[in-house]
Amino acid sequence: LDKGSKVCRISRVPERITKQLVAVLAVLCSDPGREWYGLELMEHGGLSSGTLYPILHRLVLDGWLVRTRDIPSDVGGTSRRLYRLTALGERTAEAMLAARRARQLEPVRGLRPSMQPR
Amino acid sequence: VITALFVCLGGVALWVLHVLRSLVEPIIAAEVRGTFDDHLTARVVRAAYRLPTELAAELEAEWLAELGELNHRPRLALRFVRGLDKAADAIAGDLLPGSIAAHNAVPAGAVEEIRIPGKRRGPAAIQREALSSNWLAFIEVAPAQEAQVLSAVFEGESTVEIAARFGIPIREVHLLRARGANRLSALGRPPTQG
């Protein structure tokens, strides 16, 4: 607690590690340097938009993911957004996936075979 | 002769139908397509409307752009749009934990109510400002700590600081959702606010 700056620092602990979160991380970790559109993550991860965007939002807030750049789209005044894992996100996600592999949990449902954690 | 006449008439009728179809079909298809696109766009806008203001415009633009990429995949477009209401609700509902997570920090003057059990009405509920437009955070103070906590409040300590010092968990309530459940009255906050 830093009283001088009137800011209380609260460390972030992941609330729940869901299969959907693991699916998104598995897709992102399959090519960590790559930038992904939300739609691509949705399709590769086998997730609905209703599940994907809250996860993306939370990962961005937690600093695991960054919105790298906006690509202007054909729809007037809008732009598609690209997401990429940060170094922190990559490290943590890899660790999380490795721990999951070590526990030999079942494959992620709905995820393409090539995207499954190996 | 009559048979030949009927065959000719049939041929003409078929030709007329073909011409009509080639004229009308694209119009109907375009109309249906336009209505469908309008419907999808309206659903995206409606979903974005459920978001907190600071996120609404940004996510609406992103979602509309992604929807634009699904121009030739109507089934996927419908599936995409269908999920957005759920996404918007989840993101909006995540606002408080999100704001903690986002900045890993809570502005000290931001948390806003101290509730002392047994004194749910009246001046014992000390309220300052909402954490955001939708969230009110508060702590509950046990009677044994009441005097110390009140004194800390009057010295200007924030609720976050008090919570940390006294080991009191910070709780939060969503103003709009709590309004129906009358929880705000229990917290001493007029239901008309927020």
Side-chain angles (χ1 to χ4, degrees):
Chain A
L1 185 69
D2 180 356
K3 288 178 76 172
S5 66
K6 295 282 185 190
V7 166
C8 173
R9 305 227 165 254
I10 297 173
S11 60
R12 173 72 174 168
V13 180
E15 291 155 21
R16 282 186 306 148
I17 298 168
T18 58
K19 283 185 176 180
Q20 290 80 5
L21 172 62
V22 172
V24 173
L25 293 177
V27 174
L28 290 165
C29 286
S30 66
D31 190 353
R34 181 178 160 184
E35 297 171 314
W36 298 82
Y37 289 114
L39 206 56
E40 288 179 317
L41 291 170
M42 191 178 130
E43 290 192 89
H44 285 281
L47 300 170
S48 74
S49 54
T51 308
L52 176 77
Y53 280 100
I55 290 176
L56 291 185
H57 176 67
R58 206 166 306 150
L59 290 176
V60 169
L61 292 179
D62 290 349
W64 291 30
L65 206 61
V66 281
R67 292 176 182 143
T68 50
R69 59 205 165 100
D70 294 348
I71 308 292
S73 77
D74 298 335
V75 183
T78 66
S79 41
R80 301 185 76 194
R81 194 154 286 162
L82 284 161
Y83 296 89
R84 185 171 48 77
L85 271 179
T86 60
L88 166 74
E90 189 182 338
R91 272 199 315 274
T92 326
E94 291 284 6
M96 185 189 289
L97 294 176
R100 197 178 170 86
R101 280 195 294 271
R103 289 203 308 271
Q104 292 188 326
L105 291 181
E106 71 273 22
V108 183
R109 198 175 58 186
L111 193 61
R112 283 182 185 179
S114 60
M115 296 292 175
Q116 291 288 352
R118 281 191 289 267
Chain B
V1 172
I2 291 172
T3 309
L5 191 63
F6 271 114
V7 169
C8 282
L9 281 176
V12 170
L14 280 176
W15 180 78
V16 169
L17 278 176
H18 174 74
V19 169
L20 279 178
R21 189 182 154 192
S22 62
L23 286 175
V24 170
E25 198 177 65
I27 296 171
I28 292 176
E31 193 64 39
V32 168
R33 180 76 225 188
T35 308
F36 183 66
D37 287 347
D38 286 350
H39 169 71
L40 295 181
T41 306
R43 285 189 69 164
V44 171
V45 172
R46 205 173 56 203
Y49 188 71
R50 300 159 95 110
L51 289 163
T53 359
E54 61 270 24
L55 280 175
E58 188 185 317
L59 279 177
E60 182 186 316
E62 179 179 356
W63 290 342
L64 284 174
E66 295 290 22
L67 182 64
E69 292 300 308
L70 297 173
N71 248 343
H72 305 292
R73 302 172 70 186
R75 272 183 61 207
L76 187 58
L78 196 57
R79 188 178 154 223
F80 175 77
V81 164
R82 231 182 244 154
L84 293 181
D85 282 343
K86 184 182 155 196
D89 282 345
I91 291 171
D94 203 27
L95 185 61
L96 176 65
S99 60
I100 291 173
H103 320 295
N104 277 334
V106 176
V111 178
E112 295 346 325
E113 181 161 330
I114 293 179
R115 176 172 138 200
I116 297 170
K119 291 188 179 179
R120 293 186 177 187
R121 290 178 189 168
I126 297 162
Q127 181 185 307
R128 289 132 117 198
E129 58 182 278
L131 186 59
S132 73
S133 56
N134 284 338
W135 285 93
L136 176 75
F138 64 96
I139 58 176
E140 287 185 321
V141 183
Q145 291 177 316
E146 178 181 342
Q148 288 170 294
V149 168
L150 284 178
S151 137
V153 169
F154 290 127
E155 282 165 16
E157 267 191 83
S158 78
T159 312
V160 172
E161 291 168 328
I162 294 168
R165 180 141 75 91
F166 291 95
I168 304 168
I170 297 174
R171 299 177 59 197
E172 47 310 306
V173 59
H174 194 287
L175 298 177
L176 299 179
R177 285 177 202 160
R179 189 180 290 169
N182 210 21
R183 282 180 62 196
L184 293 179
S185 303
L187 289 170
R189 186 182 179 87
T192 47
Q193 291 187 25

